[in-house]
């Protein structure tokens, strides 16, 4: 016997407009998070066990967070990924980037 699922769209969210149009999903910081207070972001490419890895470093008022993003077979591909990740992360940082 198969349980019936409610008739919902996989794209539905609580951000949908009243007329059924989807306005897009928004990310929200967790309660107690300092996500809105990021000062800078950097990406680092290093070689590790024959592969090139991309780490992101985010500086907050209360500390620094470093996370591994992915590993790539070539340095060129890792550097391309690092540039794209950094540009996307910089969009969310408020204030002047260079001072």
């Amino acid at each position: 016997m198969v349980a019936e699922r409610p008739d919902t769209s996989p794209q539905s969210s609580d951000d949908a407009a009243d007329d059924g149009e989807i306005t897009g999903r928004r990310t929200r910081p967790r309660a107690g998070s300092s996500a809105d207070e990021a000062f800078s972001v950097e990406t680092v490419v290093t070689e590790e066990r024959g592969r090139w890895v991309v780490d992101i470093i985010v500086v907050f008022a209360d500390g620094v967070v470093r996370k591994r993003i992915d590993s790539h077979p070539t340095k060129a591909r890792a550097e391309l990924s690092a540039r794209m990740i950094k540009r996307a992360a910089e969009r969310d940082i408020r204030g002047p980037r260079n001072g």
Side-chain angles (χ1 to χ4, degrees), residues 68-79:
R68 173 74 36 95
I69 300 297
D70 203 0
S71 67
H72 300 276
T74 64
K75 185 176 182 180
R77 187 165 290 200
E79 288 174 342

Side-chain angles (χ1 to χ4, degrees), residues 26-71:
R26 297 187 180 126
T27 57
R28 294 178 184 93
R30 294 183 312 261
S33 172
S34 61
D36 289 339
E37 302 165 11
F39 292 126
S40 70
V41 63
E42 293 294 327
T43 52
V44 179
V45 176
T46 55
E47 186 176 14
E48 199 171 281
R49 291 181 283 209
R51 292 187 58 90
W52 295 91
V53 296
V54 178
D55 291 345
I56 187 168
I57 302 168
V58 183
V59 179
F60 294 100
D62 57 351
V64 177
V65 177
R66 182 178 182 142
K67 293 287 185 180
R68 173 74 36 95
I69 300 297
D70 203 0
S71 67

Side-chain angles (χ1 to χ4, degrees), residues 76-90:
R77 187 165 290 200
E79 288 174 342
L80 175 66
S81 174
R83 285 192 307 267
M84 291 171 46
I85 290 166
K86 183 176 179 177
R87 281 191 306 189
E90 284 178 337

Side-chain angles (χ1 to χ4, degrees), residues 13-26:
S13 70
D14 57 352
D15 293 333
D18 291 337
D19 60 356
E21 181 180 334
I22 296 174
T23 59
R25 295 181 181 197
R26 297 187 180 126

